[in-house]
Structures are given as structure tokens and as C-alpha cells.
């Protein structure tokens, strides 16, 4: 839960009505929602009723003093996270030390200085907002981790079952039966092994990239990298009956990047373009200077991607849920790897695509200063 600062709900606890009125007026005029409580007991009841975002708590009160109220709140996991700012009379050092001991977050002294009161409240609200953001972040990370493990387990177990099943059949086969169908089964086993191999390789690469280690930034000409990538993929393109073309401007395209990683990102994009394009299609590699950026694009006339899939494309294990896509071997990790590689180099990836027409993937990198 993130608390918008000005709308925070504050409980003010003080046995002196004059103080309650003063603080209530001050806070309300600054946009806070304020609930006053005249004793410790009433404060606890009010908190039970509705959890405040912050409590201003007077120390010296009859019956139950502020320390005791605070101790009770801190002992209950539902209320332990609510920041408590103690109100104390000036120069009561002992009190102030004890206020922190019982779990208080801060203190203000009487007589009140309006700006100080507001600053201390804002400070505590900022702290809890940041704390909630951090908790949300870790919860999201944890969900991602769980999802990653579920997908990886599923995708590794499936081919393993296939291999295991065929191995069991082969074990019981006699010579003639092996001659009839055994070789076909061995082929199936190799298929399963290749799937596991691809997945393990991609998962290890992604895990290594996430540590962000060993990024070596050097000034390189992206045009030269693109030429090299195009050269490497020519045989594969020819084998698939796809024309692979390269269009570069005459001037160099300098960028401060890790050459190996950018080459690897481009490898993945070109390999996808060839994989998801039918024979007779075309793949075009292009790079241009746009303001302070170099924009590299890999464009294909392939299967294309439905609009609803575009926001998920760079998620780990995501594959477009269409027969035409799923039928092609893949791990769903390639584009997550591309994204990690490019972002480590201070760039970003984008995609435009129309189903049944083709896709263009863009890598945007900052142009190196000349
Ligand atoms: P995969 O190993 O499945 O290719 P990627 O992470 O590289 O994994 O890609 C995720 C999904 O995005 C693919 O499964 C495919 O559905 C879609 N995709 C990627 N590149 C293209 C492309 N050039 N054309 C059409 N679809 C693509």
C-alpha cells in the first residue's frame, strides 16, 4: 500500500484538548485526514477500528501513558508497522531515549513549531511509502522467481519424460524390432535432448546476465558488428530460402558498448527473424543515426505477432500462443536475453509487428561522443 502524503490518515493522541485542537487544525489545513483521541485506551480502540498511517502520541497521559500504548502497538504484528511520533515536553532527554526504546520513530516537542511538526510527519510518511515500495518490489521479484522455476521445471520435465519413455521401449526391443522403429525412437530422444540443451543453455546465460558481471564497454562501430552478424547468418538464411539483406549508412555508427553482448543480442534477433519467417520471405538488417542514438532494426516478412502478445514478448518463457509459433522449436527465453543484454549497454529494445505481415525489432543505443 502506498500512502499519498497529503491524504494520509493520522491519529493524534493527547489528553489536553487544547493540544488536540491545535494539532488537528494544523494537520487538517495541510490536507491530512485527522482523528483525535483523548486517552491511550480510546486511541487503541480507534486503531482497532481503522488502521491509521501514522500516530502522534503524547507521552504524559493519565491511566495509560504513551509508552505503554506504543509498546502494545509494537507487540501486535497488525499495528507494529505504523510509525509513532511521540509528543514530549522540551528537554526531557530521558523520555526521548525511552521513546526510541519502545519503538517510536521520532518525536516532537511542546510547544509545537508548526513547520517542524509538518516536516517530521512528512519524513515518516516518506519512509513508510519507500518501505512499502521496497516490500512490493521484493514480493514481485519473488513471484517472478516462482514463475520462472515453475516454467523451467515444466519445460525440462517434458522432454525428460519423452527420453525416458523411449529409452524404456528401446531396452526391451529385439534386433528386428530395433531395425523397424528403433532408429526413429533414437531420433525422438535426440529431439528431447536438444530441447533440454537449448533450455539449459538459455537459462544459464540469463542467470549469468542478471548478475551484470563483466560488461566491457568499448567504442565500436555498430555498422561493423551488423556486417559480421549478417555474414554469419547468410548460410542459414540461404538454407531456409530467405533473403537476408543489410542496409547501412555510409558514415560510421559509434557506440560505447560491450561488443560481444550486442553481437549476441543481434544474433538472437536475426535467428528469430529467420525462424519465424517462411521460405521466400525477406529479412532486412538496418542501422541509422537518429539524434543522439543509433537505431538498429531487424525486420522480417514472417508470421508476425498478434497485438495482445506484444506487451508480454520480452517476459521469460513467453511464447506467442499460436499453433504456427508453438510448432517451431524455442525456449521463450531468447528475447529476455536480448532485453537484458541491451539494457546492460544503456539501450532499449522495441518491437512493431502485424500478424501475418511481419515484425521489426529495434535496438536503440546511445551514440558515442565523437
Ligand atoms: P523462442 O525461443 O520461443 O523463439 P524468444 O524469447 O526469442 O523465444 O521469443 C519469444 C516469442 O516471441 C517466440 O516464441 C515467438 O512466438 C515470438 N517471436 C520472437 N521473434 C519473432 C519474430 N521475428 N517473428 C514472429 N514472432 C516472433
Amino acid at each position: 500500500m502506498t500512502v499519498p502524503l497529503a491524504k494520509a490518515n493520522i491519529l493524534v493522541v493527547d489528553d489536553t484538548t487544547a493540544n488536540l485542537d491545535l494539532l488537528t487544525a494544523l494537520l487538517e489545513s495541510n490536507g491530512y485526514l485527522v482523528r483525535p483521541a483523548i486517552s491511550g485506551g480510546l486511541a487503541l480502540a480507534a486503531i482497532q477500528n481503522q488502521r491509521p498511517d501514522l500516530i502522534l502520541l503524547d507521552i504524559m497521559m493519565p491511566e495509560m501513558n504513551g509508552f505503554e500504548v506504543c509498546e502494545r502497538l509494537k507487540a501486535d504484528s497488525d499495528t507494529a508497522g505504523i510509525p509513532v511520533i511521540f509528543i514530549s515536553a522540551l528537554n526531557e532527554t530521558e523520555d526521548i531515549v525511552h521513546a526510541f526504546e519502545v519503538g517510536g520513530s521520532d518525536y516532537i516537542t511542546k510547544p509545537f513549531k508548526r513547520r517542524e511538526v509538518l516536516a517530521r510527519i512528512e519524513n515518516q510518511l516518506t519512509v513508510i511509502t519507500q518501505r512499502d515500495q521496497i516490500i512490493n518490489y521484493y514480493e514481485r521479484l519473488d513471484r517472478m522467481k516462482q514463475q520462472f522455476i515453475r516454467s523451467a521445471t515444466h519445460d525440462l520435465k517434458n522432454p525428460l519424460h519423452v527420453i525416458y519413455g523411449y529409452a524404456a521401449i528401446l531396452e526391451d526391443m529385439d534386433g528386428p524390432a530395433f531395425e523397424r522403429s528403433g532408429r526413429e525412437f533414437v531420433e525422438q530422444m535426440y529431439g528431447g535432448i536438444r530441447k533440454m540443451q537449448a533450455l539449459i543453455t538459455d537459462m544459464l546465460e540469463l542467470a549469468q546476465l542478471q548478475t551484470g558481471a563483466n560488461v566491457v564497454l568499448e567504442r565500436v562501430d555498430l555498422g561493423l558488428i551488423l556486417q559480421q552478424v549478417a555474414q554469419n547468418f547468410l548460410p542459414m538464411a540461404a538454407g531456409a530460402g530467405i533473403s537476408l539483406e543489410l542496409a547501412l549508412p555510409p558514415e560510421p555508427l559509434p557506440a560505447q558498448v560491450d561488443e560481444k553482448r550486442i553481437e549476441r543480442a543481434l544474433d538472437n534477433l536475426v535467428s528469430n527473424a529467420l525462424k519465424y519467417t517462411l521460405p521466400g520471405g525477406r529479412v532486412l538488417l538496418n542501422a541509422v543515426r537518429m539524434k543522439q542514438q543509433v537505431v538498429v532494426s531487424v525486420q522480417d516478412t514472417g508470421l508476425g505477432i498478434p497485438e495482445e502478445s506484444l506487451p508480454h514478448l520480452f517476459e521469460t518463457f513467453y511464447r506467442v500462443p499460436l499453433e504456427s509459433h508453438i510448432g517451431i522449436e524455442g525456449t521463450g527465453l531468447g528475447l529476455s536475453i536480448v532485453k537484458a543484454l541491451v539494457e546492460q549497454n544503456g539501450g532499449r529494445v522495441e518491437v512493431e509487428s502485424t500478424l501475418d505481415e511481419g515484425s521489426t525489432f529495434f535496438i536503440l543505443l546511445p551514440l558515442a561522443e565523437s
Side-chain angles (χ1 to χ4, degrees), residues 54 80 109 315 325:
L54 184 141
T109 47
E315 292 170 8
H325 285 246

Side-chain angles (χ1 to χ4, degrees), residues 185-345:
F185 292 170
V186 172
E187 267 318 302
Q188 297 283 353
M189 290 170 78
Y190 275 126
I193 291 168
R194 275 197 302 274
K195 267 192 199 158
M196 292 182 76
Q197 209 168 31
L199 192 57
I200 291 168
T201 311
D202 279 358
M203 278 168 54
L204 290 178
E205 181 171 5
L206 198 58
Q208 207 171 24
L209 279 174
Q210 278 160 351
T211 68
N214 306 326
V215 183
V216 186
L217 298 180
E218 282 171 323
R219 189 190 172 86
V220 293
D221 181 357
L222 290 174
L224 290 180
I225 299 183
L226 221 50
Q227 267 173 10
Q228 187 59 53
V229 172
Q231 190 75 33
N232 295 346
F233 276 95
L234 273 179
M236 191 192 280
I242 296 167
S243 87
L244 178 60
E245 294 160 34
L246 174 67
L248 288 176
E251 75 273 11
L253 300 163
Q256 195 76 18
V257 293
D258 185 317
E259 182 171 356
K260 287 270 165 300
R261 288 179 189 228
I262 290 303
E263 192 173 331
R264 178 87 185 89
L266 285 165
D267 279 351
N268 271 344
L269 291 184
V270 177
S271 144
N272 274 353
L274 294 173
K275 232 166 60 167
Y276 297 102
T277 297
L278 298 173
R282 175 167 175 256
V283 171
L284 175 65
L285 308 189
N286 191 354
V288 287
R289 251 173 125 128
M290 274 174 79
K291 296 184 184 149
Q292 287 313 300
Q293 285 186 319
V294 184
V295 181
V296 179
S297 62
V298 179
Q299 184 179 10
D300 65 57
T301 58
L303 302 178
I305 297 156
E307 205 180 326
E308 61 272 21
S309 287
L310 291 175
H312 305 290
L313 219 56
F314 296 94
E315 292 170 8
T316 49
F317 293 109
Y318 185 82
R319 304 201 67 202
V320 172
L322 290 177
E323 196 60 46
S324 51
H325 285 246
I326 300 294
I328 296 167
E329 260 191 29
T331 63
L333 291 179
L335 289 178
S336 324
I337 294 175
V338 171
K339 185 168 187 279
L341 287 165
V342 171
E343 287 179 355
Q344 278 180 349
N345 282 277

Side-chain angles (χ1 to χ4, degrees), residues 97-145:
V97 172
H98 195 51
F100 286 111
E101 282 169 358
V102 296
S105 301
D106 203 354
Y107 67 93
I108 48 178
T109 47
K110 291 186 265 195
F112 303 122
K113 291 186 250 358
R114 304 166 71 88
R115 286 182 44 200
E116 184 191 333
V117 172
L118 292 173
R120 290 193 189 268
I121 287 175
E122 252 183 57
N123 179 37
Q124 283 309 316
L125 291 173
T126 307
V127 169
I128 54 169
T129 305
Q130 287 170 345
R131 183 193 63 195
D132 289 343
Q133 282 168 348
I134 292 170
I135 291 172
N136 283 345
Y137 173 77
Y138 278 103
E139 282 175 353
R140 214 180 61 232
L141 218 59
D142 197 53
R143 279 198 300 278
M144 278 166 65
K145 191 181 81 188

